[in-house]
């Protein structure tokens, strides 16, 4: 217990989290502070490239153990199933209509790569290793939840449309391709490659993450300001409960797979995180009737900050505890 | 200078539908259009601005499509089929063009 | 396709006034408009381009606002009150829209 | 609100010609215009998008130029002289403006 | 005296100043060289974040001495008063109408954060320490001058309008919020935070400043090219005299406060510098009758390069000399 | 021979080349992955600044030897003459009309600075030095080919127009000015300057190049996808043959000049590379009848990847071999 508080407080006063807080505060105070769209996209390209590359380089130097494939499968299964749990909770905790509930559920089955990146930074700060292939697991967990969401929506009569074109868009969306591509580059070029570009992908990483989270804070804060009054207490409670549920479902799976403490914490973080890039774009095309303000506010305005501040330290503490048992 | 009557159709549509609208316009037999970026706006779903967007899921784009008068219906039909369940606005203006053989 | 008569009001205004114009339009009872970025231009105060600007103090933005004909005066009054001592240009065009209930 | 008849000329032109068109417009005695960025488009030479461009050689820009009716021919002549061997589209729309003394 | 020349020549052949010169030269030669707006804004976000953070971290490790509050108050008072001096000079040296003179005066009471950042880089290069809280003083000096400018304009009959909305915009403008926010983050996270993101905020700092000054040079050069003929000799003389006056007024104040040599030089630099971001934006809203070409050309086209090349070394030499007396 | 294969395979699995491959693959698969235009331009500003600066600093510390001027002249002569060879090949190998052949020929006489930058990165990785002034040679080779192209077009009846305005645009285009300006800054500030901004211009260089090549790959891949069917086998063969011809013509010249092995390889690379920034822009203005898809696809879609993957290692092997003879 002292351990959790220790991890949490170390986390809460890190430049990373405080940059996010600064962004939220600036947005709520209606400051003109803003990060140009192109810069935000540039920062995220850097982060995806760096995290993917380092994951690949780690696998290349430690070797891929046999759990890689099992972890990928487990990740996809969780991404398929978590939306069902989320949908059930939403329908009982809120008055959201089925189509909105289905859309929201899809977001929670999928993942947020920035939450994942932040978790790796927290692990690194505490000197914890993790399996490099977790970035591949992250990629694998992005899409399945969308299918489940559309199936849930179709069941309730509002026909979600998933054509081959949308499939391609989802599976080949820029983030996944960059993350996996950089993973493969790291895998192929290995230690030599890492030495080549270490002072680019390793040293400034945390600083770049600060600026990116500053922007995320600005976006989340603006979203919260606009969505004031749109969300009931039930929905807000869901956005805090659901990551805990997702993480709890994943803990035993991750332990069964035999992941390291860091790996368990990352897997829990993935399950706990909610998408705000790939899934919203897919939902606008496939389920245009669902209100985007609802799912964006829940995932970006509530669940993302919750995971960043309290969630990740909690999952890490749980992983440490479970490994000690 | 010799000009010819044409119609200027301007469509504001949410960004995730941008490529689909372009495909639909071309499928309707119209090859000429231009896409302009949009910074922000306001509508029945509230105000938004490009800088408040974490992804292209939230942005919009503006299509400008100049067509001969007799093609405007094909274009509107194509646009409307896509737009009906989506966020977006369509306006049609009379205009004159140079080099009519292009449209 | 059934269309309806409307007015397309386009306003080019200096960037520091952008939010004030948006507020004024909404205060005039009009909720729909779109803001486009502007790269540069020329006017009585000379030529300028976005890349020559160190701050948003110098840039401009373009508003597009489609309204029912009977609302155009309210919009122009609101815009003019703001614009009169500021740099800016307003044009009004006749257009046709789909889904008139939106405007 | 008192408005005056004017013409709204919109020209889409390839980026390397942007400064030349601006110079030509000014040389034709017209000082007011605005340049908007273009994201992409489609035409007889195929589809393109800003993100597929490695240089400004491939992009386009949109000019908006509001002029008094009697000046529109001078503007079109100037634009056409430049455009004839280049990629580009010109449209002219009737509009109304506030503050006619500016145009 | 040899000292001044020494500092000046070392300054004039630094990559920082030469990058600015390159920008000016490229603009005057009408080269197509340009830095995209988003990149320029991204660079300035980096610089503000880094300078604020490092200031906060410095205060955290050296402790805030009691002069902090006094320095803040002194900065605000100077920002209020300098425009009055500037207005007097302008009305006697130039034929600018009152409203333009008032607007220009406001710019010189406020500050240019890039000038400040360049001064810290010059100090660092010479191994000089300075008080970390000078970034807070910089923030405090931004707004008061605007009030004085509006009061000067109102006195002369051209009513400046300052509503609550504009107040909010000025006090919460993006630069101030980012600078102060990063300062607080540095203060809270202290040495550990600095270690975390040192290779982001410290190492590449000077290089980033070079690219940013390249862009500033391009903008200043374009401005000069367009404003050719707009400004009389009196206005140009003002733009060189005024920073010296501002710095001279500040020197005794800074000495009285007991600042270090570096701190005195920075304080003089702040007083000498003229705003070209926050104040122009405020003037467009509150004093639209004032001609923006005049104040932008003076502050960005003349005073900024003057401070960068000759002013800062001069203020540093004066601070060194005054400390030796 | 074993040497060539060795260099090539080391090159082919470097993060640099794999990033390019990732970009091409993503574009061909129609992924939504894209780098914002402003970011791509920002990356290229960084690369030009860094490569120019380092070249200047190298000249400053090793001294400029007398071959500098000869190398500049040789570069300009090659740039003038190579288009004539290219035009001859194009007219015999393809059915391109004269105006298109002339335009394409101009591209191959000029240079691609990114190809040059990639070659320097490959040299550095192998511990090879080269003459710092090669960046000035690169700048000198950019423009002459345009003149030859217009002369070729005029000969065939399609009047290319080259007015003084276009001259200024070509000679003062942003890339040349930045490259040469940074070269001069490096030259003037020398070792001290390099120490000042080393952790900006040296350390992250390769990583930035990776992201830039990722974008180049995206652009090249999209171009290839759209140009499918536009180009005959003859044109494709030309785009692979011509760089070899250009490099072969340059080898004896570079040896005669007495350049180092690295210098010879860089000179060959410059001759082998084809422009896709400065020349296309000039051709759109001066030869609008020429089809831009043809020259962009050949230079960016075929010759650039060829040089990056196979060409540069080949030129380096040839330079090594020739120096050993
Ligand atoms: N009357 C209008 N004029 C111009 N743009 C509009 C109008 N109504 C809506 N829009 C644009 O369409 C977007 C979505 O509109 P809505 O579906 O009404 O929320 C807005 O954010 C605006 O960018
Ligand atoms: N006639 C016009 N047509 C289009 N845009 C104009 C016109 N006049 C002025 N503008 C725009 O408004 C800005 C300010 O104009 P002015 O106040 O005349 O300097 C210019 O920089 C242009 O962007
Ligand atoms: N009918 C049209 N309406 C709007 N924009 C057009 C039209 N035709 C062409 N354009 C624009 O002009 C560019 C070049 O057209 P083209 O010369 O036909 O290839 C296209 O990429 C579009 O951006
Ligand atoms: Na999840
Ligand atoms: Na000042
Ligand atoms: Na060449």
């Amino acid at each position: 217990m002292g351990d959790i508080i220790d991890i949490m407080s170390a986390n809460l006063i890190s430049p990373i989290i405080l940059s996010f807080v600064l962004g939220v505060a600036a947005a709520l105070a209606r400051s003109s502070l803003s990060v140009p769209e192109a810069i935000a996209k540039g920062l995220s390209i850097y982060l995806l490239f760096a995290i993917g590359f380092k994951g690949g380089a780690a696998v290349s130097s430690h070797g891929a153990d046999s759990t890689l494939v099992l972890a990928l499968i487990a990740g996809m299964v969780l991404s398929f199933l978590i939306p069902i749990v989320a949908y059930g909770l939403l329908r009982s905790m809120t008055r959201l209509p089925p189509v909105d509930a289905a859309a929201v559920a899809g977001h929670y089955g999928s993942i947020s790569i920035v939450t994942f990146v932040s978790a790796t930074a927290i692990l690194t700060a505490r000197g914890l290793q993790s399996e490099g292939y977790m970035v591949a697991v992250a990629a694998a967990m992005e899409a399945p939840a969308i299918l489940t969401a559309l199936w849930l929506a179709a069941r309730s009569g509002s026909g979600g449309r998933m054509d081959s074109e949308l499939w391609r868009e989802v599976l080949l969306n820029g983030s996944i391709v960059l993350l996996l591509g950089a993973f493969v580059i790291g895998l192929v070029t290995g230690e030599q490659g890492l030495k080549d570009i270490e002072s680019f992908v390793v040293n400034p990483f945390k600083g770049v993450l600060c600026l990116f989270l500053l922007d995320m804070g600005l976006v989340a804060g603006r979203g919260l300001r606009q969505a004031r009054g749109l969300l009931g207490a039930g929905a807000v409670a869901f956005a805090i409960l659901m990551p805990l549920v997702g993480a709890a479902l994943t803990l035993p799976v991750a332990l069964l797979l035999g992941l390291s403490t860091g790996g368990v914490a990352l897997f829990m973080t993935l399950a706990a995180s909610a998408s705000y890039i790939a899934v919203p774009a897919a939902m606008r095309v496939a389920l245009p009737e669902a209100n985007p303000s609802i799912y964006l506010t829940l995932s970006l305005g509530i669940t993302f900050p919750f995971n960043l501040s309290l969630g990740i330290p909690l999952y890490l503490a749980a992983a440490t505890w479970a490994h000690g048992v | 200078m010799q000009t010819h009557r044409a119609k200027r159709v301007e469509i504001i549509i949410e960004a995730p539908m941008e490529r689909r609208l372009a495909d639909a316009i071309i499928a309707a037999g119209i090859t000429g259009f231009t896409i302009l970026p949009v910074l922000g706006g306001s509508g029945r779903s509230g105000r938004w601005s490009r800088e408040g967007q974490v992804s292209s899921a939230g942005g919009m784009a503006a299509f400008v499509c100049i067509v001969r008068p007799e093609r405007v219906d094909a274009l509107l039909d194509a646009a409307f089929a896509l737009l009906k369940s989506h966020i977006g606005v369509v306006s049609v203006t009379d205009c004159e063009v140079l080099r009519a053989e292009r449209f």
Side-chain angles (χ1 to χ4, degrees), chain A residues 163-219:
Chain A
D163 55 17
S164 72
E165 187 56 16
L166 184 54
W167 263 120
R168 211 188 39 68
E169 278 178 19
V170 166
L171 293 178
L172 293 178
N173 84 65
S175 310
I176 289 194
V177 167
L178 181 52
L179 188 68
L180 287 185
F183 179 80
V184 171
I185 295 177
L187 196 62
V188 172
T189 62
E191 272 178 56
Q192 177 59 42
L194 187 60
K195 234 181 59 192
D196 271 10
I197 60 172
E198 188 157 30
S199 49
F200 181 67
V201 295
V202 176
N203 303 355
F205 189 78
K206 262 197 188 170
V208 176
L209 184 56
C210 285
L211 287 195
F212 189 74
L213 287 176
L214 174 71
D215 180 53
M216 294 283 301
L218 286 166
V219 174

Side-chain angles (χ1 to χ4, degrees), chain A residues 78-79 82-83 105-112 141 145 242-243 246-247 250 267-275 307:
Chain A
L78 283 165
S79 177
I82 287 176
H107 288 70
Y108 283 82
S110 184
I111 59 114
S112 144
M141 290 177 77
M242 189 60 220
T250 308
F267 209 158
M268 291 173 75
T269 301
L270 285 173
S273 73
S275 172
N307 277 328

Side-chain angles (χ1 to χ4, degrees), chain A residues 46-56 113 116-117 120 132 135 179 182-183 201 205:
Chain A
Y46 168 85
L47 292 173
L48 289 167
F49 181 81
I51 196 91
F53 184 87
K54 289 185 284 187
I113 198 71
F116 177 77
V117 166
T120 63
V135 306
L179 188 68
F183 179 80
V201 295
F205 189 78

Side-chain angles (χ1 to χ4, degrees), chain A residues 64-91:
Chain A
D65 53 69
S66 57
T67 49
L68 164 57
V69 178
L70 290 177
L72 286 173
I73 295 173
M76 293 178 68
V77 171
L78 283 165
S79 177
F80 267 121
L81 297 185
I82 287 176
I84 299 176
V85 181
Y87 186 80
L89 281 176
L90 279 163
R91 296 291 287 161

Side-chain angles (χ1 to χ4, degrees), chain A residues 11-322:
Chain A
N11 182 42
L12 286 177
I13 62 158
S14 71
I16 291 174
I17 209 114
L18 290 177
S19 297
F20 181 81
V21 171
L22 173 58
V24 173
L28 291 181
R30 294 203 290 139
S31 163
S32 67
L33 181 57
S34 72
V35 177
E37 199 195 359
I39 295 296
K41 219 178 153 201
L43 295 175
S44 85
I45 287 173
Y46 168 85
L47 292 173
L48 289 167
F49 181 81
I51 196 91
F53 184 87
K54 289 185 284 187
V59 170
S60 144
S61 66
H62 298 145
D65 53 69
S66 57
T67 49
L68 164 57
V69 178
L70 290 177
L72 286 173
I73 295 173
M76 293 178 68
V77 171
L78 283 165
S79 177
F80 267 121
L81 297 185
I82 287 176
I84 299 176
V85 181
Y87 186 80
L89 281 176
L90 279 163
R91 296 291 287 161
S92 64
M93 291 173 73
T94 73
R95 290 204 219 135
L96 288 183
V99 64
D100 284 322
V104 171
H107 288 70
Y108 283 82
S110 184
I111 59 114
S112 144
I113 198 71
V114 180
T115 311
F116 177 77
V117 166
S118 305
T120 63
I122 292 173
L123 291 186
T124 315
R126 304 192 71 84
L128 279 172
Q129 298 286 325
S130 61
E131 287 75 10
Y133 56 71
M134 288 309 292
V135 306
V137 176
M141 290 177 77
E142 198 157 50
I146 297 175
L147 271 195
T148 312
L150 294 184
W151 173 74
L152 288 167
R155 262 184 72 245
S156 75
S158 32
R161 288 159 294 280
M162 190 83 191
D163 55 17
S164 72
E165 187 56 16
L166 184 54
W167 263 120
R168 211 188 39 68
E169 278 178 19
V170 166
L171 293 178
L172 293 178
N173 84 65
S175 310
I176 289 194
V177 167
L178 181 52
L179 188 68
L180 287 185
F183 179 80
V184 171
I185 295 177
L187 196 62
V188 172
T189 62
E191 272 178 56
Q192 177 59 42
L194 187 60
K195 234 181 59 192
D196 271 10
I197 60 172
E198 188 157 30
S199 49
F200 181 67
V201 295
V202 176
N203 303 355
F205 189 78
K206 262 197 188 170
V208 176
L209 184 56
C210 285
L211 287 195
F212 189 74
L213 287 176
L214 174 71
D215 180 53
M216 294 283 301
L218 286 166
V219 174
R222 285 196 208 104
L224 281 177
R225 200 151 53 75
Q226 276 166 16
R228 249 180 342 217
L230 187 78
L231 299 174
V236 174
F238 166 83
I240 289 173
L241 180 61
M242 189 60 220
L244 299 174
V245 172
L249 289 174
T250 308
L251 177 56
V253 179
L255 289 173
L256 262 177
L257 287 168
L259 296 180
S260 66
T261 302
V264 174
L266 287 182
F267 209 158
M268 291 173 75
T269 301
L270 285 173
S273 73
S275 172
Y276 46 78
I277 299 188
V279 181
M283 289 298 148
R284 284 314 298 149
V285 175
L287 269 189
E289 305 84 1
N291 182 346
S293 302
I294 295 174
Y295 46 71
L296 280 174
T297 307
L298 289 179
S299 110
L300 187 60
I302 303 177
T303 300
F304 178 73
F306 170 75
N307 277 328
L308 195 64
S309 55
L310 305 179
I312 298 173
L314 208 63
Y315 313 144
L316 175 53
T320 313
W321 168 83

